[in-house]
Amino acid sequence: IMLKGMTRLVSRVHKAKHGEQHVGQHYNISIQELKTVFPHGLPPRFVMQVKTFNEACLMVRKPALELLHYLKNTNFAHPAVRYVLYGEKGTGKTLSLCHIIHFCAKQDWLILHIPDAHLWVKNCRDLLQSTYNKQRFDQPLEASVWLKNFKTANERFLSQIKVQDKYVWNKRESTEKGSPLAEVVEQGIMRVRNATDAVGIVLKELKRQSSLGIFRLLVAVDGVNALWGRTTLKREDKSLIAPEELALIYNLRKMVKNDWQGGAIVLTVSQTGSLFKPRKAYLPQELLGKEGFDTLDPFIPILVSNYNPKEFEACIQYYLENSWLQHEKAHTEEGKKELLFLSNRNPGLLERLCAYL
Amino acid sequence: MAAPCVSCGAAASYRLFLAGRVSFAREQGLWKAAAAGLQTGTRCQILRLKHSPAVTTKKNVAALRRESYTVDFIKKQIEEFNIGKRHLANMMGEDPETFTQEDIDRAITYLFPSGLFEKRARPIMKHPEEIFPKQRAIQWGEDGRPFHFLFYTGKQSYYSLMHEAYGKVLHVEERQDQLRAKGLFSEKPKTKDPIGSRWLIKEELEEMLVEKLSDQDYAQFIRLLERLSALPCDAAEEEFVGRFRRTVTVQSKKHLIEPLQYDEQGMAFSTGRGNAPWRRGKRKTANAEAVVHGHGSGKIEINGVDYLLYFPVTQDREQLMFPFHFLDRLGKHDVTCTVSGGGRSSQAGAIRLAVARALCSFITEDEVEWMRQAGLLTTDPRVRERKKPGQEGARRKFTWKKR
């Protein structure tokens, strides 16, 4: 493991010092941190790669650096700024998001990470009518899973934050005012029926309290275009459900509005999980639709594009060092040119190609 | 154009023949003459009468097996052909004296347009020599004695040819001995034209001699000719050997479609047919047109979309990569192309062909030849085969049920 080349290694600790000159270099995240910070955020192929190489390495790239720069210079008195990462399929939006989340976790922010909003609008087995509001629908499974992951990610905050309202779950259970947020989360995990409401409460509390300045909140949503698209879920009488009628989506929309201070909102739009959107669409305008675009309107778009030649070289070097490319021609110039041509410097495609080399 | 000569038309109509044998029951005359010749007056009438039923049956069987045409018949056909040619020339308004075979072909395709795919099934009008298979005239005279001295060998023309060739060989060797005896023998190295010609093939020889040959016969003959050509020959002998050689087109299929545009192949003029090579490619039903710029960076743009988005499948992108990879010019050219029709894979193949053709202008002749041999420059002739009635698909038959 000591034979890593010079293209790697920015020191682990001082991630705050990522600068322009580090573009193209990989940096390491230890497996322990991975479990705490990303219980549920990484794309599945990356998880497989981590397992194969026994270490997690992310490449430092320009879009992420740009975002980090903005984040470092945010004024927390102003309303939260929205950043939207967009780009073609496979260019690295999700991994850039993960980079930023890691950075913020290191800086001790509270991370509110929804790994894929598309999962909440499709393939839901059980939809319950919401206990809180008769018109909306609950998704107990997804909500409980998310709560579990949220707990793992933000253990230390949950005891610090106190709830500011009293919430009655049912005839026997209720949460008093002033009790830690951990209780709400526990309640949600144990009583799956109330999980969605627990999520709603968590979101509301966090929004309210981040303006107070006790902690900084990072809202990271992947695939935010699911919030304003269409769903494939149907009621018992086979009529379609609009996204607003799902409690999770409704609360999340409130979260993404920039009427609170003390944090930042980083979003990704992706076509990969989206419903009813053409394959070639990648601009925020196309994917969010008119409604979504208007709601998110003042935002900062950040384009994530394919690798530039230096990054491409770095990626190939990384694979070679880990002995991932076994073909004899992989070392040569021609081999690299072939890979270049075939993947056209698209990170996702390159990864898929190399998987079979 | 041609003045409508209805009468000429009627006269000319039966000059035309469809390819294939036309059988006329005129060969009875042949055998009757032979039979009458054989049987002299000493035979009695009764025998002749007796023989006639047998002769008739023999006649009919022979007629079915071998349709032979008499010499008179062929002569008459030739006359009719010539007259018909003049009529045709008249009809087309051309000069009958200078009406060549090509003109005849053109006139026939004009007057009788045929949509048949098989070229040999279309109407033709050719000299009877080409249409009727060559027949041998009767090899024996009235007294029954054959004309040729080698008749009883069975293959008289073949053996006579061998005899002739061997005679020439002996003659040349004799001359050589004489020269050597006189001391004027000079070792002249033979330089036959190396690749330009080939020996006749067996079918062509059979056609020339109007006789069936076996493979061994043919091999023997070729060996003799080689032996003859290896010796220092005279002009007469060269001419004799030359009768049995045919020319071969050297470097088959020279690629003609290369208006090599070497001017300003580059970004200075971008697209435009005059400057950057603009080529077409086809595969199944897809049509593609590609423009290749020199001095590029390996970008490919299809119908305005990047090739990564247009062909998400790796196999298609590999097809596009093939011409560049073959010539080791992976990142050096830019391609802009449009494609329509067909499916995913045939569009990829069409673009590949167009790109390969366009690249021809940038590379040397040798590389063009290598590309041609690699199959990059040939349009793939495979098309979807038609479904036939009585079958479920093009080849698949319906399930066969025993009962």
Side-chain angles (χ1 to χ4, degrees):
Chain A
I1 310 184
M2 285 306 135
L3 38 92
K4 303 303 174 195
M6 289 178 303
T7 51
R8 302 171 93 268
L9 290 224
V10 173
S11 65
R12 243 171 271 169
V13 182
H14 302 286
K15 241 166 275 23
K17 292 205 190 138
H18 285 180
E20 285 288 321
Q21 69 276 25
H22 297 307
V23 170
Q25 294 186 354
H26 287 87
Y27 82 94
N28 220 336
I29 313 178
S30 69
I31 313 271
Q32 296 310 100
E33 277 182 26
L34 215 64
K35 281 200 201 128
T36 16
V37 179
F38 296 117
H40 63 165
L42 298 171
R45 286 195 80 99
F46 188 71
V47 169
M48 285 198 294
Q49 188 184 308
V50 166
K51 203 163 137 206
T52 320
F53 293 165
N54 225 6
E55 53 168 14
C57 269
L58 284 184
M59 197 197 294
V60 177
R61 291 183 71 193
K62 245 186 74 172
L65 279 180
E66 210 184 309
L67 244 182
L68 289 179
H69 177 75
Y70 292 145
L71 282 179
K72 277 181 229 166
N73 300 346
T74 32
N75 185 343
F76 294 105
H78 290 193
V81 188
R82 289 184 280 223
Y83 307 95
V84 174
L85 288 166
Y86 71 103
E88 289 182 359
K89 182 167 155 183
T91 42
K93 303 180 280 283
T94 313
L95 274 185
S96 300
L97 195 68
C98 294
H99 184 165
I100 288 159
I101 292 175
H102 189 176
F103 173 78
C104 295
K106 280 281 164 231
Q107 304 268 313
D108 254 357
W109 291 36
L110 203 159
I111 314 277
L112 191 75
H113 179 43
I114 288 108
D116 196 358
H118 293 295
L119 295 175
W120 288 358
V121 292
K122 50 182 180 178
N123 300 340
C124 179
R125 288 300 168 89
D126 30 355
L127 273 181
L128 304 174
Q129 209 187 25
S130 168
T131 39
Y132 185 66
N133 187 334
K134 288 281 175 294
Q135 255 117 36
R136 299 204 205 121
F137 290 93
D138 264 4
Q139 284 154 303
L141 276 178
E142 279 93 10
S144 59
V145 160
W146 186 81
L147 277 175
K148 266 190 232 136
N149 288 325
F150 178 71
K151 189 171 139 182
T152 351
N154 300 301
E155 287 274 12
R156 54 192 189 284
F157 286 105
L158 293 178
S159 38
Q160 291 171 11
I161 306 175
K162 309 286 178 211
V163 174
Q164 283 172 1
D165 265 337
K166 175 170 169 175
Y167 298 105
V168 180
W169 301 110
N170 47 27
K171 275 188 270 204
R172 266 164 280 172
E173 292 169 13
S174 65
T175 316
E176 297 304 321
K177 182 172 160 174
S179 50
L181 205 57
E183 262 193 44
V184 176
V185 178
E186 276 303 320
Q187 182 72 28
I189 295 177
M190 277 197 318
R191 296 263 177 271
V192 183
R193 284 193 58 179
N194 301 329
T196 323
D197 295 328
V199 171
I201 293 170
V202 163
L203 292 180
K204 198 162 78 172
E205 288 299 321
L206 286 177
K207 197 161 144 176
R208 234 192 288 176
Q209 299 194 10
S210 75
S211 324
L212 303 176
I214 319 171
F215 56 85
R216 296 195 217 141
L217 180 63
L218 174 75
V219 179
V221 185
D222 203 334
V224 78
N225 45 333
L227 299 186
W228 288 281
R230 286 154 65 180
T231 61
T232 42
L233 306 175
K234 295 193 183 134
R235 293 183 203 121
E236 283 91 21
D237 49 355
K238 310 273 176 141
S239 52
L240 277 178
I241 306 181
E244 301 79 52
E245 298 178 20
L246 289 168
L248 284 176
I249 306 289
Y250 185 75
N251 293 326
L252 201 53
R253 277 197 198 175
K254 283 197 277 189
M255 202 66 206
V256 162
K257 266 204 287 193
N258 57 351
D259 48 0
W260 50 277
Q261 302 108 336
I265 312 180
V266 183
L267 309 169
T268 334
V269 279
S270 91
Q271 193 278 333
T272 320
S274 70
L275 300 162
F276 308 104
K277 286 279 184 274
R279 185 168 61 87
K280 310 232 172 121
Y282 72 97
L283 298 166
Q285 176 84 28
E286 299 163 347
L287 285 173
L288 287 171
K290 191 166 176 317
E291 203 194 317
F293 196 79
D294 291 332
T295 330
L296 280 186
D297 202 349
F299 65 85
I300 302 181
I302 303 179
L303 171 65
V304 182
S305 58
N306 290 331
Y307 284 151
N308 54 18
K310 208 170 122 199
E311 292 175 342
F312 182 77
E313 265 302 314
C315 193
I316 302 256
Q317 284 299 326
Y318 176 61
Y319 285 139
L320 284 173
E321 275 156 15
N322 288 51
S323 328
W324 186 229
L325 304 175
Q326 287 299 323
H327 200 252
E328 318 81 45
K329 273 223 203 138
H331 302 272
T332 59
E333 269 307 306
E334 312 155 358
K336 283 184 203 155
K337 274 201 225 169
E338 278 182 45
L339 282 173
L340 219 175
F341 188 97
L342 277 180
S343 65
N344 203 20
R345 292 199 232 111
N346 186 307
L349 265 184
L350 182 65
E351 199 265 316
R352 259 164 241 264
L353 269 182
C354 297
Y356 297 118
L357 273 182
Chain B
M1 225 214 135
C5 319
V6 181
S7 52
C8 312
S13 61
Y14 68 91
R15 265 51 148 189
L16 306 175
F17 301 97
L18 290 177
R21 305 273 189 86
V22 182
S23 65
F24 286 79
R26 303 245 189 126
E27 62 284 351
Q28 294 132 4
L30 173 73
W31 285 97
K32 259 198 191 145
L38 281 172
Q39 291 162 1
T40 48
T42 48
R43 303 277 179 91
C44 40
Q45 294 261 341
I46 313 161
L47 278 172
R48 213 188 284 165
L49 280 168
K50 251 202 224 165
H51 277 289
S52 36
V55 169
T56 40
T57 44
K58 253 201 254 163
K59 244 190 307 193
N60 287 335
V61 165
L64 287 167
R65 240 185 339 137
R66 209 175 6 113
E67 307 138 357
S68 38
Y69 310 102
T70 39
V71 179
D72 308 319
F73 172 74
I74 299 267
K75 267 200 241 166
K76 217 167 87 170
Q77 293 297 316
I78 295 179
E79 279 167 28
E80 286 181 353
F81 172 75
N82 286 328
I83 298 175
K85 203 165 88 162
R86 296 184 74 91
H87 279 309
L88 192 61
N90 246 344
M91 266 199 281
M92 303 296 283
E94 313 232 353
D95 184 16
E97 305 297 329
T98 55
F99 204 57
T100 56
Q101 184 60 44
E102 291 154 7
D103 295 325
I104 299 180
D105 291 332
R106 257 189 294 126
I108 296 298
T109 38
Y110 173 72
L111 291 169
F112 300 90
S114 155
L116 297 173
F117 287 121
E118 176 67 59
K119 302 276 177 160
R120 292 180 289 184
R122 295 182 181 178
I124 55 168
M125 178 168 165
K126 291 213 189 304
H127 194 83
E129 297 270 284
E130 296 167 38
I131 297 185
F132 294 103
K134 275 196 203 165
Q135 308 249 309
R136 275 190 291 170
I138 308 173
Q139 311 285 336
W140 52 89
E142 279 212 359
D143 52 351
R145 278 192 75 215
F147 295 131
H148 204 276
F149 70 103
L150 286 176
F151 174 77
Y152 287 112
T153 55
K155 309 178 220 177
Q156 63 177 48
S157 12
Y158 168 71
Y159 281 114
S160 73
L161 196 61
M162 292 285 280
H163 184 76
E164 208 186 320
Y166 192 60
K168 287 204 174 3
V169 167
L170 289 178
H171 182 69
V172 167
E173 283 184 351
E174 207 185 295
R175 222 183 35 230
Q176 264 193 335
D177 290 337
Q178 281 173 359
L179 284 178
R180 240 187 244 125
K182 284 192 208 155
L184 298 172
F185 187 69
S186 50
E187 291 282 350
K188 257 193 306 189
K190 282 296 286 250
T191 45
K192 208 71 176 154
D193 39 2
I195 321 173
S197 50
R198 57 166 176 88
W199 290 118
L200 277 185
I201 49 174
K202 183 160 163 266
E203 280 78 20
E204 287 177 345
L205 191 60
E206 280 187 357
E207 205 189 343
M208 204 156 118
L209 301 177
V210 197
E211 249 174 15
K212 285 240 187 315
L213 298 176
S214 76
D215 290 327
Q216 291 89 351
D217 294 336
Y218 170 71
Q220 190 80 9
F221 178 63
I222 294 295
R223 258 180 274 151
L224 189 58
L225 278 181
E226 300 248 319
R227 187 175 156 193
L228 178 57
S229 62
L231 301 169
C233 296
D234 262 357
E237 277 119 29
E238 298 269 342
E239 191 246 317
F240 173 73
V241 172
R243 279 210 327 241
F244 303 103
R245 287 203 78 108
R246 297 276 178 269
T247 46
V248 161
T249 43
V250 180
Q251 219 180 346
S252 46
K253 276 205 246 175
K254 187 81 198 269
H255 210 66
L256 298 167
I257 318 169
E258 293 173 48
L260 301 170
Q261 293 161 356
Y262 280 113
D263 45 43
E264 276 328 300
Q265 16 160 312
M267 309 309 286
F269 289 92
S270 272
T271 52
R273 289 153 87 156
N275 294 305
W278 173 95
R279 293 283 179 272
R280 275 206 215 115
K282 256 206 249 230
R283 169 97 215 265
K284 270 192 194 168
T285 351
N287 283 299
E289 297 165 355
V291 181
V292 173
H293 307 284
H295 312 309
S297 67
K299 276 206 293 269
I300 302 190
E301 181 106 350
I302 307 176
N303 284 354
V305 183
D306 196 38
Y307 70 109
L308 201 62
L309 297 179
Y310 197 80
F311 289 129
V313 181
T314 317
Q315 176 200 344
D316 299 332
R317 271 174 281 134
E318 278 178 15
Q319 287 285 305
L320 290 190
M321 189 169 83
F322 187 18
F324 294 111
H325 187 238
F326 190 76
L327 301 167
D328 269 331
R329 287 168 178 243
L330 265 176
K332 298 194 194 150
H333 294 284
D334 259 351
V335 179
T336 318
C337 48
T338 47
V339 68
S340 58
R344 168 205 93 187
S345 168
S346 38
Q347 278 185 346
I351 300 180
R352 177 185 113 176
L353 183 61
V355 158
R357 282 202 182 137
L359 279 179
C360 278
S361 320
F362 288 90
I363 53 179
T364 57
E365 295 279 330
D366 284 339
E367 296 188 329
V368 173
E369 186 60 25
W370 294 339
M371 283 230 282
R372 186 185 70 77
Q373 285 179 358
L376 274 170
L377 300 176
T378 341
T379 325
D380 203 336
R382 298 181 286 180
V383 213
R384 178 140 175 255
E385 200 176 309
R386 169 206 151 171
K387 172 196 176 317
K388 285 107 191 168
Q391 294 176 3
E392 208 176 289
R395 299 282 171 103
R396 159 137 175 98
K397 324 279 187 274
F398 289 120
T399 320
W400 180 76
K401 298 235 176 63
K402 196 156 180 175
R403 52 185 68 81

